[in-house]
Amino acid sequence: MFQINCLNPISKVGLDRLTADYKVTDNMNDAEGVLVRSASMHEMDLPENLLAVARAGAGVNNIPLDKCAEKGIVVFNTPGANANGVKELVIAGMLLAARDVVGGIEWVKASKDNADIAKAAEKEKKKFAGTEVMGKKLGVIGLGAIGVKVANTAVSLGMEVYGYDPYVSVNAAWNLSRSVNHVMNVEEIYADCDYITIHVPLLDSTKGMINKEAISKMKDGVVLLNFARDLLANEADVLEALKSGKVARYVSDFPNPTTAGQPGCIVIPHLGASTEESEDNCAKMAVEEMMDYLENGNIRNSVNYPACDMGVCSQAGRIAIFHKNITNMLNQFTAVIGEKNINISDMTNKSRGEVAYTMLDIENAATQDLVETLQKIDGVFRVRVVK
């Protein structure tokens, strides 16, 4: 019986995936698995029995990844599960920037007591008319799950779409419309595109990438859309560009004192992945990833350990070892197991940066003595008996 703790309300659709081998507990100290959305875990004391944390969403800045890695706690996220919800809001944001629908609606509200509102509207509507997006150039920076969907949808709207991502995955490339122009330099997007939308993770290398220097290379009257992370843009520089007219609109899904209520800013209250469908999809994926790991030791969509899949164990035992990614670790593991007169039927070893993960299927059940001996090897974080 595995015990699961929910730090935030998790969609019932996801929790219903849990089998009879799982119990939801209110006490995190009893849990082998934690499901979380936005709750911060940085100040929490992580219990020794905790094996996995699954984030029902893509961002994991609320989880201490390095601390979890050193404790042999696998952290999962759910990339792509909320992609459609975010994509639809990006497209909505682009249309709101193209045509001043919000301004028009506010005018109607302010004119609600005017008996001749229909006649007045015919005179005023030119202020809100805007332009069409068909035929305009859209630059998509970052071709992950969301960026690909945005690019493909924009193609269907008749836009000329340019995509930039030096690290585009094979899966993303397969899903990307052939009508999308793949550019090799982000400055091509800056120079040519009428609309620019950014879909990259927040890293040291991407923080503030939309800044005064980048904006200076853009077309006059460009529309910027940011539905990824607010810190990807230096918003003080964006406001300055809005005042000068260099940037026509800044559309963001991240309300903060810098942009809220500012002229030219369309700020949405972080609705991107908040649809009922997105929350259900994220919860289902998070639960399924966690169950496969807890039951089989398989890792899929982890942000602090490498992907690893050995299916369902058909041998007497399976052990998983979390360790530093240094030389001679495998030799030490196999030597210890051999000394215990246990045969290894299958094994795999994967690394990610400074950490590594080794799974071994053995023909005898793992003993406490074997686990303790492996745990004593220098560089080992944790030894887990999966079966």
Side-chain angles (χ1 to χ4, degrees):
M1 177 68 70
F2 294 106
Q3 298 201 61
I4 306 298
N5 175 250
C6 300
L7 292 180
N8 296 105
I10 301 297
S11 165
K12 184 176 182 297
V13 174
L15 294 179
D16 283 347
R17 295 293 178 102
L18 296 171
T19 66
D21 294 326
Y22 293 83
K23 175 186 176 183
V24 177
T25 177
D26 292 332
N27 188 352
M28 181 177 169
N29 290 325
D30 294 335
E32 286 90 11
V34 163
L35 293 167
V36 62
R37 289 174 61 199
S38 59
S40 177
M41 299 182 65
H42 287 283
E43 305 305 321
M44 293 181 179
D45 291 327
L46 303 177
E48 291 300 316
N49 52 297
L50 183 61
L51 299 173
V53 175
R55 161 75 163 96
V60 289
N61 57 323
N62 57 321
I63 304 170
L65 303 183
D66 292 342
K67 180 179 177 181
C68 287
E70 292 170 1
K71 288 179 169 289
I73 299 170
V74 182
V75 179
F76 300 92
N77 70 345
T78 57
N82 58 14
N84 190 70
V86 178
K87 174 209 76 177
E88 290 185 359
L89 197 65
V90 172
I91 298 299
M94 184 167 61
L95 295 173
L96 291 175
R99 308 185 70 173
D100 191 9
V101 177
V102 175
I105 291 172
E106 291 302 317
W107 179 87
V108 172
K109 286 181 180 179
S111 306
K112 62 183 176 63
D113 296 326
N114 184 353
D116 294 323
I117 186 172
K119 186 176 180 179
E122 291 304 312
K123 294 181 178 180
E124 294 292 324
K125 67 181 184 181
K126 61 180 178 292
K127 297 179 180 178
F128 316 111
T131 61
E132 298 179 13
V133 298
M134 185 175 181
K136 303 300 190 299
K137 294 181 179 180
L138 171 67
V140 182
I141 302 175
L143 295 171
I146 296 170
V148 165
K149 286 182 178 291
V150 170
N152 291 348
T153 301
V155 167
S156 70
L157 290 174
M159 301 188 78
E160 190 175 337
V161 182
Y162 295 81
Y164 169 76
D165 191 334
Y167 309 108
V168 62
S169 69
V170 173
N171 186 57
W174 274 108
N175 290 321
L176 190 65
S177 169
R178 286 184 293 177
S179 298
V180 175
N181 303 285
H182 190 202
V183 301
M184 303 306 295
N185 190 325
V186 71
E187 294 188 1
E188 292 183 51
I189 284 178
Y190 293 161
D192 297 331
C193 291
D194 305 295
Y195 295 81
I196 297 174
T197 182
I198 185 167
H199 301 283
V200 300
L202 179 61
L203 307 170
D204 289 342
S205 59
T206 60
K207 185 176 180 180
M209 64 179 292
I210 302 301
N211 54 26
K212 182 179 293 187
E213 180 182 0
I215 293 170
S216 69
K217 300 174 183 177
M218 297 177 188
K219 294 177 68 172
D220 291 345
V222 67
V223 172
L224 300 177
L225 301 110
N226 181 7
F227 288 75
R229 287 288 181 270
D230 55 348
L231 294 179
L232 293 170
N234 182 322
E235 293 185 328
D237 290 352
V238 173
L239 290 183
E240 184 178 323
L242 283 165
K243 290 176 182 177
S244 72
K246 179 70 175 180
V247 173
R249 291 283 189 275
Y250 176 62
V251 189
S252 169
D253 198 26
F254 306 99
N256 59 54
T258 303
T259 55
Q262 293 297 316
C265 292
I266 301 174
V267 184
I268 301 168
H270 204 191
L271 298 181
S274 297
T275 65
E276 181 179 334
E277 294 87 349
S278 286
E279 292 186 8
D280 288 348
N281 290 338
C282 287
K284 287 189 289 186
M285 185 182 288
V287 167
E288 289 167 0
E289 291 167 350
M290 179 172 286
M291 289 174 64
D292 192 21
Y293 171 69
L294 293 178
E295 295 172 22
N296 304 306
N298 298 324
I299 297 177
R300 176 168 49 98
N301 293 327
S302 171
V303 293
N304 66 341
Y305 271 98
C308 184
D309 190 344
M310 285 180 59
V312 177
C313 180
S314 60
Q315 296 298 320
R318 173 175 287 181
I319 53 177
I321 307 174
F322 302 82
H323 55 94
K324 292 180 179 179
N325 183 22
I326 53 179
T327 59
N328 202 39
M329 297 303 286
L330 287 180
N331 287 339
Q332 294 183 77
F333 300 156
T334 56
V336 167
I337 294 171
E339 289 170 2
K340 304 297 182 183
N341 201 30
I342 298 174
N343 189 46
I344 299 172
S345 61
D346 196 9
M347 67 178 292
T348 187
N349 168 263
K350 302 289 184 180
S351 63
R352 178 174 182 158
E354 297 180 354
V355 300
Y357 182 67
T358 300
M359 270 206 298
L360 304 104
D361 284 355
I362 53 180
E363 295 182 359
N364 301 86
T367 64
Q368 185 64 30
D369 178 56
L370 173 62
V371 172
E372 291 176 355
T373 304
L374 289 169
Q375 188 71 63
K376 291 177 182 177
I377 296 175
D378 187 35
V380 170
F381 303 133
R382 184 177 207 155
V383 180
R384 179 188 167 215
V385 178
V386 179
K387 177 183 178 182

